[in-house]
Coordinates of all heavy atoms in Angstrom, one line a residue:
M940 N 87.6 8.3 14.2 CA 87.7 7.6 15.4 C 87.3 6.1 15.2 O 86.5 5.8 14.3 CB 86.8 8.2 16.5 CG 87.2 9.5 17.0 SD 88.8 9.4 17.9 CE 89.1 11.2 18.3
A941 N 87.9 5.3 16.1 CA 87.7 3.8 15.9 C 87.8 3.2 17.2 O 88.4 3.8 18.2 CB 88.7 3.2 15.0
F942 N 87.4 2.0 17.3 CA 87.7 1.1 18.4 C 89.1 0.4 18.2 O 89.4 0.2 17.0 CB 86.6 0.1 18.8 CG 85.5 0.8 19.6 CD1 84.5 1.6 19.0 CD2 85.4 0.3 20.9 CE1 83.6 2.2 19.8 CE2 84.3 0.9 21.7 CZ 83.5 1.8 21.2
V943 N 89.7 0.0 19.3 CA 91.1 -0.5 19.1 C 91.2 -1.7 20.0 O 90.8 -1.8 21.1 CB 92.2 0.6 19.6 CG1 93.6 0.0 19.3 CG2 92.0 1.9 18.7
I944 N 91.9 -2.8 19.3 CA 92.1 -4.0 20.3 C 93.5 -3.9 20.8 O 94.4 -3.5 20.1 CB 91.9 -5.2 19.3 CG1 90.6 -5.3 18.7 CG2 92.2 -6.5 20.1 CD1 90.4 -6.4 17.7
T945 N 93.5 -4.3 22.1 CA 94.9 -4.0 22.8 C 95.4 -5.4 23.3 O 94.9 -6.4 23.0 CB 94.7 -3.0 24.0 OG1 93.7 -3.7 24.9 CG2 94.1 -1.7 23.5
A946 N 96.4 -5.3 24.2 CA 97.2 -6.4 24.6 C 96.5 -7.7 25.1 O 97.0 -8.8 24.7 CB 98.2 -6.0 25.7
P947 N 95.5 -7.7 25.9 CA 94.8 -8.9 26.3 C 94.4 -9.8 25.2 O 94.4 -11.1 25.3 CB 93.6 -8.4 27.1 CG 94.0 -7.1 27.6 CD 94.8 -6.5 26.5
C948 N 94.2 -9.3 23.9 CA 93.8 -10.2 22.8 C 95.0 -11.2 22.5 O 94.7 -12.3 22.0 CB 93.5 -9.3 21.7 SG 93.1 -10.2 20.2
K949 N 96.2 -10.8 22.8 CA 97.3 -11.7 22.4 C 97.3 -13.0 23.1 O 97.7 -14.0 22.6 CB 98.6 -10.9 22.7 CG 99.0 -9.7 21.8 CD 100.3 -9.2 22.3 CE 100.6 -8.0 21.5 NZ 101.8 -7.3 22.0
E950 N 96.8 -12.9 24.4 CA 96.7 -14.2 25.1 C 95.4 -15.0 24.7 O 95.3 -16.2 24.9 CB 96.6 -13.9 26.6 CG 97.6 -13.0 27.1 CD 99.0 -13.8 27.1 OE1 99.1 -15.0 27.3 OE2 100.0 -13.1 26.8
E951 N 94.4 -14.3 24.3 CA 93.1 -14.9 24.2 C 92.8 -15.2 22.7 O 92.4 -16.4 22.4 CB 92.1 -13.9 24.7 CG 90.6 -14.5 24.8 CD 90.6 -15.5 26.0 OE1 91.4 -15.5 26.8 OE2 89.6 -16.3 25.9
K952 N 92.8 -14.2 21.8 CA 92.4 -14.4 20.4 C 91.1 -15.2 20.2 O 91.0 -16.2 19.5 CB 93.5 -15.1 19.6 CG 94.5 -14.2 19.1 CD 95.5 -14.8 18.2 CE 95.1 -14.6 16.7 NZ 96.1 -15.2 15.9
S953 N 90.1 -14.9 21.0 CA 88.9 -15.7 21.0 C 88.0 -15.3 19.8 O 87.2 -16.3 19.3 CB 88.1 -15.5 22.3 OG 87.4 -14.4 22.3
G954 N 88.0 -14.1 19.2 CA 87.3 -13.8 17.9 C 85.9 -13.6 18.0 O 85.3 -13.4 17.0
E955 N 85.2 -13.5 19.1 CA 83.8 -13.1 19.1 C 83.5 -11.8 18.4 O 82.5 -11.6 17.8 CB 83.2 -13.0 20.5 CG 82.9 -14.3 21.2 CD 84.0 -14.8 22.1 OE1 85.2 -14.5 21.8 OE2 83.8 -15.5 23.0
C956 N 84.5 -10.9 18.5 CA 84.3 -9.7 17.9 C 84.1 -9.7 16.4 O 83.3 -9.0 15.8 CB 85.6 -8.8 18.2 SG 87.1 -9.6 17.7
V957 N 84.8 -10.7 15.7 CA 84.6 -10.8 14.3 C 83.2 -11.1 13.9 O 82.7 -10.5 12.9 CB 85.6 -11.9 13.8 CG1 85.5 -12.1 12.3 CG2 87.1 -11.6 14.2
D958 N 82.6 -11.9 14.7 CA 81.2 -12.3 14.3 C 80.2 -11.2 14.5 O 79.2 -11.2 13.8 CB 80.8 -13.5 15.2 CG 81.6 -14.8 14.9 OD1 82.1 -14.9 13.8 OD2 81.9 -15.5 15.8
V959 N 80.4 -10.3 15.4 CA 79.4 -9.2 15.6 C 79.6 -7.9 15.0 O 78.8 -7.1 14.8 CB 79.3 -8.9 17.2 CG1 79.0 -10.1 18.0 CG2 80.6 -8.3 17.7
C960 N 80.8 -7.8 14.4 CA 81.1 -6.5 13.6 C 80.2 -6.3 12.4 O 80.2 -7.2 11.5 CB 82.5 -6.4 13.2 SG 82.9 -4.9 12.3
P961 N 79.4 -5.3 12.4 CA 78.5 -5.1 11.3 C 79.1 -4.7 9.9 O 78.5 -4.8 8.9 CB 77.4 -4.0 11.7 CG 78.3 -3.3 12.7 CD 79.2 -4.2 13.3
V962 N 80.4 -4.3 10.0 CA 81.0 -3.8 8.8 C 82.2 -4.7 8.4 O 83.0 -4.3 7.6 CB 81.4 -2.3 8.8 CG1 80.2 -1.4 8.8 CG2 82.3 -2.0 10.1
D963 N 82.3 -5.8 9.1 CA 83.4 -6.8 8.8 C 84.8 -6.1 8.7 O 85.5 -6.4 7.9 CB 83.1 -7.4 7.4 CG 82.1 -8.5 7.5 OD1 81.9 -9.0 8.7 OD2 81.5 -8.8 6.6
C964 N 85.1 -5.3 9.7 CA 86.4 -4.7 9.7 C 87.4 -5.2 10.7 O 88.4 -4.6 10.9 CB 86.2 -3.2 9.9 SG 85.7 -2.7 11.6
I965 N 87.2 -6.4 11.3 CA 88.1 -7.0 12.1 C 88.8 -8.2 11.4 O 88.0 -9.1 10.9 CB 87.5 -7.4 13.5 CG1 86.7 -6.2 14.1 CG2 88.5 -8.0 14.4 CD1 85.9 -6.6 15.4
E966 N 90.0 -8.2 11.4 CA 90.8 -9.4 10.8 C 91.7 -10.0 11.8 O 92.3 -9.3 12.7 CB 91.5 -8.8 9.6 CG 90.5 -8.6 8.4 CD 91.2 -8.2 7.1 OE1 92.4 -8.6 6.9 OE2 90.7 -7.5 6.3
E967 N 92.1 -11.3 11.5 CA 93.0 -11.9 12.4 C 94.3 -11.8 11.9 O 94.7 -12.1 10.8 CB 92.6 -13.4 12.4 CG 93.5 -14.2 13.4 CD 93.0 -15.6 13.6 OE1 92.0 -16.0 13.0 OE2 93.6 -16.3 14.5
G968 N 95.2 -11.3 12.8 CA 96.7 -11.3 12.5 C 97.4 -12.4 13.1 O 96.8 -13.3 13.7
K969 N 98.7 -12.4 12.9 CA 99.5 -13.5 13.5 C 99.4 -13.6 15.1 O 99.2 -14.7 15.6 CB 101.0 -13.4 13.1 CG 101.7 -14.7 12.9 CD 103.1 -14.4 12.3 CE 104.1 -14.6 13.4 NZ 105.5 -14.2 13.0
D970 N 99.5 -12.5 15.7 CA 99.5 -12.5 17.2 C 98.2 -12.0 17.8 O 97.9 -12.3 19.0 CB 100.7 -11.5 17.7 CG 100.6 -10.2 17.1 OD1 99.7 -10.0 16.1 OD2 101.2 -9.3 17.7
M971 N 97.3 -11.4 17.1 CA 96.1 -10.9 17.7 C 95.2 -10.4 16.6 O 95.5 -10.5 15.4 CB 96.4 -9.6 18.6 CG 97.1 -8.5 17.9 SD 97.6 -7.1 19.0 CE 96.0 -6.3 19.3
F972 N 93.9 -10.0 17.0 CA 93.0 -9.5 16.0 C 93.2 -8.0 15.9 O 93.6 -7.3 16.8 CB 91.6 -9.8 16.4 CG 91.2 -11.1 16.2 CD1 91.4 -12.2 17.1 CD2 90.6 -11.6 15.0 CE1 91.0 -13.5 17.0 CE2 90.2 -12.9 14.8 CZ 90.4 -13.8 15.8
Y973 N 92.8 -7.4 14.7 CA 92.9 -6.0 14.4 C 91.6 -5.4 13.9 O 90.9 -6.1 13.1 CB 94.1 -5.7 13.5 CG 95.4 -6.1 14.0 CD1 96.0 -7.2 13.6 CD2 96.2 -5.1 14.8 CE1 97.3 -7.6 14.1 CE2 97.4 -5.4 15.2 CZ 98.0 -6.7 14.9 OH 99.2 -7.0 15.3
I974 N 91.3 -4.2 14.3 CA 90.2 -3.4 13.7 C 90.7 -2.5 12.7 O 91.7 -1.7 13.0 CB 89.5 -2.7 14.9 CG1 88.8 -3.7 15.9 CG2 88.5 -1.7 14.3 CD1 88.2 -3.0 17.1
D975 N 90.1 -2.4 11.5 CA 90.6 -1.5 10.5 C 89.9 -0.1 10.9 O 88.7 0.1 10.8 CB 90.0 -1.9 9.2 CG 90.4 -1.1 8.0 OD1 90.8 0.1 8.3 OD2 90.6 -1.5 6.9
P976 N 90.8 0.9 11.3 CA 90.3 2.1 11.8 C 89.6 3.0 10.7 O 88.9 3.9 11.0 CB 91.5 2.8 12.4 CG 92.7 2.1 12.0 CD 92.3 0.7 11.3
A977 N 89.9 2.7 9.4 CA 89.3 3.4 8.4 C 87.8 3.0 8.1 O 87.1 3.7 7.5 CB 90.2 3.3 7.1
I978 N 87.5 1.8 8.6 CA 86.2 1.2 8.3 C 85.3 1.2 9.5 O 84.1 1.4 9.4 CB 86.3 -0.2 7.7 CG1 87.1 -0.1 6.4 CG2 84.9 -0.7 7.4 CD1 87.3 -1.4 5.7
C979 N 85.9 1.1 10.7 CA 85.1 1.0 11.9 C 84.1 2.1 12.1 O 84.4 3.3 11.8 CB 86.0 1.1 13.1 SG 85.3 1.1 14.8
I980 N 82.9 1.8 12.4 CA 81.8 2.8 12.6 C 81.5 3.2 14.0 O 80.5 3.8 14.3 CB 80.5 2.4 11.8 CG1 80.0 1.1 12.3 CG2 80.8 2.4 10.3 CD1 78.6 0.8 11.8
D981 N 82.4 2.7 14.9 CA 82.2 3.1 16.4 C 80.9 2.5 17.0 O 80.4 3.2 17.8 CB 82.3 4.6 16.6 CG 83.6 5.2 16.1 OD1 84.6 4.4 15.9 OD2 83.7 6.5 15.9
C982 N 80.5 1.4 16.5 CA 79.2 1.0 17.1 C 79.3 0.3 18.5 O 78.4 0.2 19.2 CB 78.6 -0.1 16.2 SG 79.4 -1.7 16.2
G983 N 80.6 -0.2 18.8 CA 80.7 -0.7 20.2 C 80.4 -2.2 20.3 O 80.5 -2.8 21.4
A984 N 79.8 -2.8 19.3 CA 79.5 -4.2 19.4 C 80.6 -5.1 19.8 O 80.4 -6.0 20.6 CB 78.8 -4.7 18.1
C985 N 81.7 -4.9 19.2 CA 82.9 -5.8 19.5 C 83.3 -5.6 21.0 O 83.7 -6.6 21.7 CB 84.0 -5.4 18.6 SG 84.5 -3.7 18.6
E986 N 83.3 -4.4 21.5 CA 83.7 -4.1 22.9 C 82.8 -4.9 23.9 O 83.3 -5.5 24.8 CB 83.6 -2.6 23.1 CG 83.9 -2.3 24.6 CD 83.5 -0.8 24.9 OE1 82.5 -0.3 24.3 OE2 84.2 -0.2 25.7
A987 N 81.6 -5.0 23.6 CA 80.6 -5.6 24.4 C 80.7 -7.1 24.6 O 80.4 -7.7 25.6 CB 79.1 -5.4 24.0
V988 N 81.2 -7.8 23.5 CA 81.4 -9.2 23.6 C 82.8 -9.7 23.8 O 83.0 -10.9 24.0 CB 81.0 -9.9 22.2 CG1 79.5 -9.6 22.0 CG2 81.8 -9.4 21.0
C989 N 83.8 -8.8 23.9 CA 85.2 -9.3 24.2 C 85.3 -9.8 25.5 O 85.0 -9.2 26.5 CB 86.1 -8.1 24.0 SG 87.9 -8.6 24.3
P990 N 85.6 -11.1 25.7 CA 85.7 -11.8 27.0 C 86.9 -11.3 27.9 O 87.0 -11.6 29.1 CB 85.9 -13.3 26.7 CG 86.5 -13.3 25.3 CD 86.0 -12.0 24.6
V991 N 87.9 -10.6 27.3 CA 89.0 -10.2 28.1 C 89.1 -8.7 28.2 O 90.2 -8.1 28.6 CB 90.4 -10.8 27.6 CG1 90.3 -12.3 27.8 CG2 90.5 -10.5 26.0
E992 N 88.1 -8.0 27.8 CA 88.1 -6.5 27.8 C 89.3 -5.9 27.1 O 90.0 -5.1 27.7 CB 87.9 -6.0 29.2 CG 86.6 -6.4 29.9 CD 86.4 -5.9 31.2 OE1 87.1 -5.0 31.7 OE2 85.4 -6.4 31.9
A993 N 89.6 -6.4 25.9 CA 90.7 -5.9 25.2 C 90.4 -4.7 24.3 O 91.3 -4.2 23.7 CB 91.4 -7.0 24.3
I994 N 89.1 -4.4 24.1 CA 88.8 -3.4 23.1 C 88.3 -2.1 23.7 O 87.4 -2.0 24.7 CB 87.6 -4.0 22.2 CG1 88.1 -5.3 21.6 CG2 87.3 -3.0 21.1 CD1 87.0 -6.0 20.7
Y995 N 88.9 -1.1 23.2 CA 88.6 0.3 23.8 C 88.3 1.3 22.7 O 88.9 1.2 21.6 CB 89.8 0.8 24.7 CG 90.0 0.0 25.9 CD1 90.8 -1.1 25.9 CD2 89.2 0.3 27.0 CE1 91.0 -1.9 27.0 CE2 89.4 -0.5 28.2 CZ 90.3 -1.6 28.1 OH 90.4 -2.3 29.2
Y996 N 87.6 2.3 23.0 CA 87.3 3.4 22.1 C 88.7 4.2 22.0 O 89.4 4.4 23.0 CB 86.2 4.3 22.6 CG 85.8 5.4 21.6 CD1 85.5 5.1 20.3 CD2 85.7 6.8 22.0 CE1 85.2 6.1 19.4 CE2 85.3 7.8 21.2 CZ 85.0 7.4 19.9 OH 84.7 8.4 19.0
E997 N 89.0 4.6 20.9 CA 90.3 5.3 20.7 C 90.6 6.4 21.6 O 91.7 6.5 22.2 CB 90.2 5.9 19.2 CG 91.5 6.6 18.7 CD 91.3 7.1 17.2 OE1 90.5 6.5 16.5 OE2 92.0 8.0 16.9
E998 N 89.6 7.2 21.9 CA 89.8 8.3 22.9 C 90.0 7.9 24.3 O 90.4 8.6 25.1 CB 88.6 9.3 22.8 CG 88.7 10.2 21.6 CD 87.8 11.4 21.8 OE1 86.8 11.4 22.5 OE2 88.1 12.5 21.2
D999 N 89.6 6.6 24.7 CA 89.7 6.2 25.9 C 90.9 5.3 26.2 O 91.1 4.8 27.3 CB 88.5 5.3 26.3 CG 87.1 6.1 26.3 OD1 87.3 7.3 26.6 OD2 86.1 5.5 26.0
L1000 N 91.8 5.2 25.2 CA 93.0 4.4 25.4 C 93.9 5.0 26.4 O 94.1 6.2 26.4 CB 93.8 4.3 24.0 CG 93.2 3.4 23.0 CD1 94.0 3.7 21.7 CD2 93.2 2.0 23.2
I1001 N 94.5 4.1 27.3 CA 95.5 4.6 28.2 C 96.8 4.7 27.4 O 96.9 4.1 26.3 CB 95.7 3.7 29.5 CG1 96.0 2.3 29.0 CG2 94.4 3.7 30.3 CD1 96.4 1.4 30.1
E1002 N 97.7 5.5 27.9 CA 98.9 5.8 27.2 C 99.7 4.6 26.7 O 100.1 4.5 25.5 CB 99.8 6.7 28.0 CG 100.8 7.5 27.1 CD 101.7 8.4 28.0 OE1 101.2 8.8 29.2 OE2 102.8 8.6 27.6
E1003 N 99.7 3.6 27.5 CA 100.5 2.4 27.1 C 99.9 1.6 26.0 O 100.5 0.8 25.3 CB 100.9 1.4 28.3 CG 99.6 0.8 28.9 CD 100.0 -0.1 30.1 OE1 100.2 0.5 31.2 OE2 100.1 -1.3 29.9
D1004 N 98.5 1.8 25.8 CA 97.8 1.0 24.8 C 97.7 1.9 23.5 O 97.3 1.4 22.4 CB 96.4 0.8 25.2 CG 96.4 -0.3 26.2 OD1 97.3 -1.2 26.2 OD2 95.3 -0.5 26.9
E1005 N 98.2 3.0 23.5 CA 98.1 3.9 22.2 C 98.8 3.3 21.0 O 98.4 3.5 20.0 CB 98.5 5.3 22.5 CG 97.5 6.2 23.2 CD 97.9 7.5 23.7 OE1 99.0 7.9 23.4 OE2 97.2 8.2 24.5
P1006 N 99.9 2.6 21.2 CA 100.6 2.1 20.0 C 99.7 1.0 19.3 O 100.0 0.7 18.1 CB 101.9 1.4 20.7 CG 102.1 2.2 21.9 CD 100.8 2.6 22.5
Y1007 N 98.7 0.5 20.0 CA 97.9 -0.5 19.3 C 97.1 0.1 18.1 O 96.7 -0.6 17.2 CB 97.0 -1.2 20.3 CG 97.8 -2.3 21.1 CD1 98.3 -1.9 22.3 CD2 98.2 -3.5 20.6 CE1 99.1 -2.8 23.1 CE2 99.1 -4.4 21.3 CZ 99.4 -4.0 22.5 OH 100.2 -4.9 23.3
L1008 N 96.8 1.4 18.3 CA 96.1 2.0 17.1 C 97.1 2.1 15.9 O 96.7 1.9 14.8 CB 95.7 3.5 17.5 CG 95.0 4.3 16.4 CD1 93.8 3.5 15.8 CD2 94.7 5.7 16.9
Q1009 N 98.3 2.5 16.2 CA 99.3 2.5 15.1 C 99.5 1.2 14.5 O 99.6 1.0 13.3 CB 100.6 3.1 15.6 CG 101.6 3.5 14.5 CD 101.1 4.5 13.5 OE1 100.3 5.4 13.8 NE2 101.4 4.1 12.2
K1010 N 99.6 0.2 15.4 CA 99.8 -1.2 14.9 C 98.6 -1.6 14.0 O 98.8 -2.3 13.0 CB 99.8 -2.2 16.1 CG 101.1 -2.7 16.6 CD 101.0 -3.7 17.7 CE 101.3 -5.1 17.1 NZ 101.3 -6.2 18.2
A1011 N 97.4 -1.3 14.4 CA 96.3 -1.6 13.5 C 96.3 -0.9 12.1 O 96.1 -1.5 11.1 CB 94.9 -1.2 14.2
K1012 N 96.8 0.3 12.2 CA 96.9 1.1 10.9 C 97.9 0.4 10.0 O 97.7 0.3 8.8 CB 97.3 2.6 11.2 CG 96.1 3.4 11.7 CD 96.6 4.8 12.0 CE 95.4 5.7 12.5 NZ 95.8 7.0 13.0
E1013 N 99.0 0.0 10.6 CA 100.1 -0.6 9.9 C 99.6 -2.0 9.3 O 99.9 -2.3 8.1 CB 101.3 -0.8 10.7 CG 102.1 0.5 10.8 CD 103.1 0.4 11.9 OE1 103.4 -0.7 12.4 OE2 103.7 1.5 12.4
F1014 N 98.9 -2.7 10.1 CA 98.4 -4.0 9.7 C 97.5 -3.8 8.4 O 97.5 -4.7 7.5 CB 97.5 -4.6 10.8 CG 96.9 -6.0 10.5 CD1 97.7 -7.1 10.5 CD2 95.6 -6.1 10.1 CE1 97.2 -8.4 10.3 CE2 95.1 -7.3 9.8 CZ 95.9 -8.5 9.8
F1015 N 96.7 -2.7 8.3 CA 95.8 -2.6 7.2 C 96.5 -1.6 6.1 O 95.9 -1.1 5.2 CB 94.5 -1.9 7.6 CG 93.7 -2.9 8.4 CD1 93.6 -2.9 9.8 CD2 93.0 -3.9 7.7 CE1 92.8 -3.8 10.5 CE2 92.2 -4.9 8.4 CZ 92.1 -4.8 9.9
G1016 N 97.9 -1.4 6.3 CA 98.5 -0.7 5.2 C 98.2 0.8 5.2 O 98.2 1.4 4.2
Q1017 N 97.8 1.5 6.3 CA 97.5 2.9 6.4 C 98.6 3.7 6.9 O 99.5 3.3 7.6 CB 96.2 3.0 7.2 CG 95.1 2.4 6.6 CD 93.9 2.2 7.6 OE1 93.9 2.9 8.7 NE2 93.0 1.2 7.3
Ligands
SF4_1080 FE1 83.1 -3.3 14.2 FE2 81.6 -1.8 15.7 FE3 83.8 -2.9 16.7 FE4 84.0 -0.9 15.0 S1 83.1 -0.8 17.0 S2 85.2 -2.9 15.0 S3 82.3 -1.3 13.7 S4 82.0 -4.0 16.0

């Protein structure tokens, strides 16, 4: 399980999440930031600091946000 960055990040890309992640698993892509689901330890630190509430626990994703988990996997070559 992992946390997942969703659509609001595309408008914002503010990046606070990168600074608080204890395992450095958030990287900046062209259009948004991505969490590496293979490394994320589900600590929730990124979710707490995101100014646009773009980050959700995998199990709490609404249906329209589910493709963002797949996008993150593809970004990290998984
Ligand atoms: Fe990093 Fe924790 Fe966010 Fe996972 S939940 S991406 S480990 S800050």
Side-chain angles (χ1 to χ4, degrees):
M940 288 292 177
F942 276 73
V943 181
I944 301 176
T945 64
C948 183
K949 289 182 184 174
E950 306 292 326
E951 189 73 19
K952 277 190 96 183
S953 81
E955 281 95 330
C956 54
V957 178
D958 296 331
V959 299
C960 180
V962 292
D963 283 335
C964 70
I965 306 177
E966 287 187 24
E967 185 171 4
K969 211 171 109 192
D970 55 344
M971 58 186 286
F972 285 88
Y973 293 97
I974 293 170
D975 186 335
I978 298 176
C979 175
I980 56 169
D981 300 341
C982 72
C985 56
E986 178 192 32
V988 298
C989 179
V991 291
E992 296 183 12
I994 306 177
Y995 294 92
Y996 187 50
E997 186 178 332
E998 280 201 334
D999 296 331
L1000 286 172
I1001 57 170
E1002 202 177 330
E1003 68 178 82
D1004 284 341
E1005 282 174 6
Y1007 286 98
L1008 175 59
Q1009 190 55 38
K1010 258 186 103 174
K1012 286 180 178 170
E1013 285 168 13
F1014 180 80
F1015 291 102
Q1017 295 162 20

